[in-house]
Amino acid sequence: MAERYDVVVLGAGPAGYVAAIRSAQLGLSVACVDRWRTPSGEYALGGTCLHVGCIPSKALLESSEHYERARHRLAAHGVSVGEVSFDLAVMQARKEAIVRRMGRGIAALFRKHGVAWIPGHGRFVAGGTTWKLAVTGEGGTRELEATHVIVATGSTARRLPDVEVDNRIVCDNEGGLAFERVPERLGVIGAGVIGLELGSVWRRLGARVTLLEALPTFLPAADESVAQEAWRLFTGAQGLHIELGVRVESVVRSREAATVRYRRADGSAAELACDRLIVAVGRQPASEGLGAEAVGLAIDAQGFIEVDKNCRSNLPRVYAIGDVVRGPMLAHKGEEEGIMVAEIIAGQHGHVNYDAIPWVMYTMPEIAWVGATEQELRTQGIAYRAGRFPFAYNGRALGRDDVEGFVKILADAVTDRILGVHAIGALASELIAEAVLAIEFGASSEDLGRICHAHPSMSEVMREAALALAGRSLNG
Ligand code: FAD
Ligand code: NAD
């Protein structure tokens, strides 16, 4: 006999578990199916984000930044710490403890809201007035019946043809977060978000890091002024070695090392020998094995489930959210979609503003933006004005010894409505929330410039950048 629910969510990453909780808050009976297993074989909630993504990477970024600051930045404050060392096993154990704690937290939230957690691999079996699904887990196969289905099966690391990932020598994000010792020479294929974040972690801990990037432009999605500043800082004092415009031809793995053969931008042949290699060339949607063909669920050529702006699939009462559908592969984008879909199912007017989704890279300094870049506005022929202010003129930044970077605000030349905000600097991940609010509320740069900001605070740089747009910065 099938278990019957109003909503079955497939996948308990940030998109799926938030959709499940919001559905339950709205009075719907909900089951959430997930097949994730920890290395010790236990089923666990939280998906890529919690286990091998956002959370563990940020834990290691934080630990490695403490080490770097202790070595190079504390002396300027008059703090001497003598010989500084670190214990990677402790760092890794701390990271794992955070992951376990948050996983238990999601399970507790499911209990609190009455969401049934069904461990195992879920797939569609048949459709009709209700959807029939099968979940294969440790104890065999369970049958579920649902009025609504939300597919939130996420993504997996994209592979390069003929490059086998063993997650020991040649790694994806899973292996790249779990090294037991710091490699002397780390190679990274792909200078995108994962490459730069994980490259930064291991560089801070002592690895010589080389990133090989196929595109001729560094960070093309970021505003070009931010990308230029990031390039200067990462390849300058920080010592990340980044080669652009390369074509990787082969990767040869031996017992303790790997060699990447590639062509440089000028066509010459080159080789990179490294002790560990991270392949970080993007992610692909996890839509295989879903039983899509059994029910006629439309999937595009890249494997994304086809959806409209409200995440409705081609099937009635079947939705798809998060990394498995179009749009940026970001945890908070998936969460917003989960809330929207739950509200639509409950008869409300769910909505996601895709123009107000922030991007953050947790490098040092951090990079964050929301809205259009200057090059996008130029291409679209939109008349704009730009205001920019450096952290170096800010008292709090000087006090923190975090003077690198700037905030730039782009606003419509006629209406003054804010179109894009770009920050590179310490705490940019936190500062960007104000810019998201401004864009969501349709604020003008004058609005931002007239809001009282605490002094001294990094957030004053946001205000000063807004004032700079009208040529009236107070401190610069
Ligand atoms: P996922 O988190 O991938 O979860 C999908 C879940 O579905 C998984 O648990 C999977 O086991 C399960 N599943 C799949 N198929 C089935 C099935 N058939 N049956 C049952 N269960 C199934 N994003 C940010 O916003 N900020 C960051 O700082 C950030 N850092 C990242 C760092 C790294 C190293 C990586 C790899 C990613 C990072 N991301 C970050 C991206 C973020 O992890 C994803 O955007 C996010 O996890 C997507 O959420 P999701 O719920 O769509 O999918
Ligand atoms: P990415 O798209 O950010 O970067 C991949 C890079 O690899 C690109 O620059 C691409 O040009 C390059 N590339 C592709 N094929 C290549 C090849 N054959 N040789 C050399 N370079 C090649 O993807 P990612 O870094 O793998 O991260 C995946 C996704 O995870 C991101 O798109 C992002 O959505 C998410 N993520 C987010 C955060 C965050 O929000 N802080 C952190 C990590 C990951």
Side-chain angles (χ1 to χ4, degrees):
M1 214 5 215
E3 298 161 51
R4 174 89 196 74
Y5 296 94
D6 295 330
V7 180
V8 168
V9 184
L10 293 180
Y17 91 73
V18 166
I21 289 174
R22 186 69 190 120
S23 300
Q25 283 175 341
L26 291 164
L28 300 158
S29 64
V30 187
C32 187
V33 179
D34 199 293
R35 66 182 179 195
W36 194 279
R37 283 178 189 239
T38 63
S40 55
E42 290 152 39
Y43 284 105
L45 299 165
T48 304
C49 167
L50 177 55
H51 296 280
V52 291
C54 324
I55 301 301
S57 58
K58 267 79 256 180
L60 291 183
L61 279 156
E62 205 67 40
S63 298
S64 58
E65 187 173 333
H66 281 308
Y67 174 63
E68 179 142 293
R69 278 185 187 267
R71 281 179 73 207
H72 301 299
R73 314 271 294 254
L74 291 189
H77 291 264
V79 179
S80 36
V81 285
E83 185 80 9
V84 183
S85 62
F86 65 89
D87 183 336
L88 184 56
V90 172
M91 269 184 207
Q92 293 286 19
R94 174 181 175 275
K95 176 198 84 179
E96 290 304 327
I98 293 168
V99 170
R100 276 197 304 277
R101 179 179 171 150
M102 293 195 69
R104 285 196 303 270
I106 302 171
L109 289 169
F110 274 12
R111 284 194 297 278
K112 175 177 161 191
H113 293 285
V115 174
W117 170 13
I118 304 189
H121 174 94
R123 65 191 155 84
F124 285 96
V125 176
T129 45
T130 56
W131 296 103
K132 312 253 183 315
L133 299 114
V135 180
T136 307
E138 221 148 55
T141 298
R142 281 163 78 169
E143 287 172 28
L144 308 184
E145 200 176 320
T147 312
H148 306 270
V149 179
I150 304 175
V151 183
T153 46
S155 64
T156 54
R158 192 166 82 76
R159 299 277 188 246
L160 288 178
D162 302 323
V163 178
E164 197 197 323
V165 168
D166 66 345
N167 269 327
R168 202 178 70 81
I169 305 290
V170 179
C171 301
D172 57 20
N173 54 302
E174 289 199 39
L177 283 162
F179 294 153
E180 287 167 4
R181 60 187 167 79
V182 178
E184 214 170 285
R185 303 162 304 170
L186 173 65
V188 184
I189 304 183
V193 201
I194 294 181
L196 289 169
E197 288 188 355
L198 291 188
S200 296
V201 166
W202 298 112
R203 179 200 61 75
R204 290 170 196 168
L205 298 179
R208 265 187 290 126
V209 180
T210 304
L211 297 105
L212 301 177
E213 167 59 48
L215 293 176
T217 319
F218 182 57
L219 291 180
D223 189 89
E224 56 197 13
S225 62
V226 168
Q228 274 164 18
E229 180 73 351
W231 176 268
R232 192 181 68 77
L233 295 168
F234 296 164
T235 61
Q238 294 190 16
L240 278 180
H241 184 66
I242 308 175
E243 283 198 48
L244 299 175
V246 311
R247 188 156 53 83
V248 171
E249 293 186 329
S250 69
V251 173
V252 179
R253 193 181 74 213
S254 64
R255 258 171 61 81
E256 281 307 324
T259 304
V260 185
R261 297 207 171 90
Y262 63 98
R263 293 260 159 206
R264 294 208 154 100
D266 63 6
S268 61
E271 261 189 26
L272 174 70
C274 46
D275 307 299
R276 293 288 182 274
L277 178 69
I278 298 177
V279 181
V281 293
R283 297 184 62 80
Q284 61 191 26
S287 56
E288 277 177 17
L290 261 180
E293 55 301 329
V295 290
L297 180 65
I299 294 179
D300 73 15
Q302 281 90 48
F304 290 102
I305 297 177
E306 289 180 11
V307 290
D308 69 8
K309 69 178 182 1
N310 291 123
C311 293
R312 289 188 176 90
S313 75
N314 64 317
L315 301 175
R317 293 167 283 101
V318 176
Y319 299 80
I321 59 175
D323 279 11
V324 79
V325 303
R326 83 286 177 266
M329 287 181 157
L330 297 173
H332 42 281
K333 172 265 194 184
E335 292 177 23
E336 292 309 302
E337 291 178 334
I339 293 164
M340 167 178 73
V341 163
E343 293 181 349
I344 290 173
I345 291 173
Q348 300 184 355
H349 297 282
H351 162 78
V352 173
N353 180 359
Y354 288 97
D355 293 331
I357 293 174
W359 279 86
V360 177
M361 286 178 50
Y362 295 81
T363 44
M364 192 168 90
E366 293 179 346
I367 295 173
W369 74 88
V370 59
T373 60
E374 207 163 340
Q375 61 268 28
E376 281 167 352
L377 294 179
R378 273 201 309 268
T379 310
Q380 292 162 21
I382 296 173
Y384 64 92
R385 289 182 306 149
R388 177 168 157 165
F389 199 82
F391 284 98
Y393 297 172
N394 175 271
R396 184 80 197 283
L398 284 161
R400 291 174 52 95
D401 191 21
D402 275 326
V403 294
E404 288 153 344
F406 57 85
V407 173
K408 182 164 97 176
I409 300 185
L410 305 169
D412 189 288
V414 180
T415 64
D416 193 34
R417 187 181 171 127
I418 295 172
L419 303 172
V421 178
H422 304 271
I424 175 166
L427 302 183
S429 57
E430 303 296 332
L431 298 183
I432 204 68
E434 179 180 9
V436 175
L437 191 75
I439 288 197
E440 189 69 57
F441 286 7
S444 64
S445 78
E446 187 184 355
D447 291 331
L448 215 53
R450 286 192 182 277
I451 291 171
C452 180
H453 288 70
H455 176 76
S457 73
M458 303 290 272
S459 72
E460 288 172 293
V461 176
M462 189 70 79
R463 181 191 194 191
E464 291 279 12
L467 292 173
L469 232 127
R472 60 182 198 91
S473 293
L474 295 164
N475 290 285

